[in-house]
Amino acid sequence: MTAPALSIIVVSYNTREMTLECLRSIHAETRADFELIVIDNASSDGSAEAIAAEFPDAVLMAETDNHGFARANNIAAKRARGEYVLLLNPDTLVLDAALDKLLAFARTHPQARIWGGRTLYGDRSLNPSSCWRRMSLWNIFCRTAGLTGVFPKSDLFNAEAYGGWDRSTERQVDIVVGCMFLMTRADWEVLDGFDPAFVMYGEEADLCLRAQEQLNAAPRVTPEATIVHYGGASEKVRADKMVRLMRAKTELVRRHIPAWQRPLALALFHGWPLSRSLAFALLNRLGLKKGTDSAATWREVWARRAEWKAGSAAHV
């Protein structure tokens, strides 16, 4: 059997209707030869049954355990036969042949070794979170000091988010986000996929940085490959989510910040929830942030710091 060009991996967890819409958009907008691998993380909403009924040709892995994002992708990737592995979130919609365009982009820029595109919110406004610059001592300081919030469009003070760049141009980036993440299957296997220490959040950042160190990768994104990614628009900031994020980012600092900078970087980063809770509390007191529960959320994240200060590896 001839191997397909693309192995598209979708990890599903209690997102039945969104997942079905995502899979429909893949079929409607993709002309390249592909195989579809869906791994369901023990959903309780009938996702696996609905996917099996509507997409009988998909490789469906209906798991009895929730493996998290990183492990689930690793498990699914072992079934992949394609030249390229494409990770796609279930809360996405493929627009205007985006996956075909991303594949063509990869073939014309093989030196990048990791490729991504542009994401939009459900209302088709720009969702800038499809790529990031690597964490550094400077951008950790800017985030903890609140400069990223005061100057969100500044590439100096919001460097990690490439502030001011509207994602309308092709560009080399440090990190391609896992909602639409393409690399060759050969490179995925060399790097052994995601590090399972990252259960949720941080896994693609770690993989991109390892690819740069070990394979001399230079990840690139193109605006030609555009999808809708609902997650950033629909998911509210909750303490549990932020605890998981803090845990993952702490692990990234421990692994990828130079050793001589690491103690100060960790101290600054660990102060971020406290500075955020104080800032939101002040805004609330001044009547400038009415109706928000952000201060309470960040206070809870700070109160739960024992859960995230050790990083991800300690929780595996």
Side-chain angles (χ1 to χ4, degrees):
M1 183 182 298
T2 304
L6 279 175
S7 292
I8 303 173
I9 298 174
V10 177
V11 177
S12 171
Y13 178 66
N14 286 335
T15 53
R16 182 180 62 188
E17 296 308 317
M18 292 187 106
T19 301
L20 292 173
E21 286 296 324
C22 171
L23 302 184
R24 290 169 192 147
S25 74
I26 292 171
H27 282 277
E29 295 292 339
T30 309
R31 298 292 172 265
D33 184 26
F34 69 89
E35 65 174 353
L36 181 58
I37 304 172
V38 183
I39 178 165
D40 185 75
N41 268 333
S43 293
S44 58
D45 65 350
S47 289
E49 294 82 358
I51 293 164
E54 187 168 344
F55 299 97
D57 293 335
V59 177
L60 175 62
M61 305 174 70
E63 301 296 292
T64 56
D65 296 314
N66 184 348
H67 303 290
F69 183 77
R71 279 196 178 96
N73 274 293
N74 287 349
I75 292 168
K78 294 184 184 300
R79 299 282 295 272
R81 299 182 298 112
E83 179 185 359
Y84 294 83
V85 171
L86 174 73
L87 311 185
L88 193 67
N89 269 26
D91 58 343
T92 61
L93 285 177
V94 178
L95 303 177
D96 192 24
L99 305 188
D100 290 335
K101 292 175 180 178
L102 185 60
L103 180 60
F105 180 67
R107 286 174 167 162
T108 56
H109 296 82
Q111 73 284 356
R113 309 189 84 129
I114 296 173
W115 306 270
R118 182 176 60 166
T119 52
L120 306 177
Y121 291 123
D123 63 3
R124 302 309 196 259
S125 63
L126 178 67
N127 178 346
S129 63
S130 62
C131 57
W132 297 90
R133 189 174 270 126
R134 67 187 298 154
M135 295 178 74
S136 68
L137 184 60
W138 169 250
N139 60 45
I140 291 171
F141 166 75
C142 289
R143 185 172 294 278
T144 301
L147 295 173
T148 58
V150 177
F151 304 105
K153 294 186 181 296
S154 168
D155 197 47
L156 175 62
F157 297 120
N158 195 13
E160 190 176 353
Y162 293 104
W165 173 40
D166 65 1
R167 277 45 173 185
S168 65
T169 55
E170 176 193 319
R171 182 169 177 169
Q172 181 177 331
V173 298
D174 289 333
I175 296 161
V176 173
V177 172
C179 66
M180 182 171 63
F181 181 104
L182 181 69
M183 72 186 309
T184 65
R185 182 162 57 90
D187 282 350
W188 175 275
E189 291 174 352
V190 166
L191 296 169
D192 202 23
F194 289 141
D195 188 321
F198 296 91
V199 178
M200 185 174 292
Y201 303 118
E203 60 282 315
E204 69 269 73
D206 174 71
L207 182 61
C208 286
L209 296 175
R210 286 191 288 119
Q212 291 169 54
E213 293 163 5
Q214 298 176 37
L215 303 177
N216 200 30
R220 296 191 75 84
V221 296
T222 173
E224 294 300 310
T226 297
I227 64 171
V228 171
H229 182 209
Y230 292 106
S234 62
E235 187 175 17
K236 295 180 180 179
V237 174
R238 299 183 301 273
D240 286 346
K241 172 191 170 184
M242 294 310 302
V243 165
R244 291 193 293 269
L245 182 64
M246 291 294 298
R247 188 181 300 158
K249 282 185 169 288
T250 294
E251 189 66 22
L252 289 173
V253 172
R254 292 184 180 280
R255 294 183 182 209
H256 297 292
I257 294 287
W260 66 274
Q261 297 179 1
R262 204 169 297 149
L264 180 56
L266 284 168
L268 284 170
F269 184 68
H270 290 165
W272 180 38
L274 180 60
S275 71
R276 293 283 285 182
S277 66
L278 293 173
F280 278 117
L282 178 61
L283 290 173
N284 289 344
R285 185 175 292 274
L286 295 174
L288 300 177
K289 207 74 176 176
K290 295 180 180 178
T292 180
D293 62 353
S294 296
T297 296
W298 285 103
R299 278 198 302 272
E300 182 179 344
V301 174
W302 174 247
R304 294 169 59 183
R305 56 193 178 276
E307 297 179 41
W308 50 259
K309 286 187 74 172
S312 292
H315 295 266
V316 176

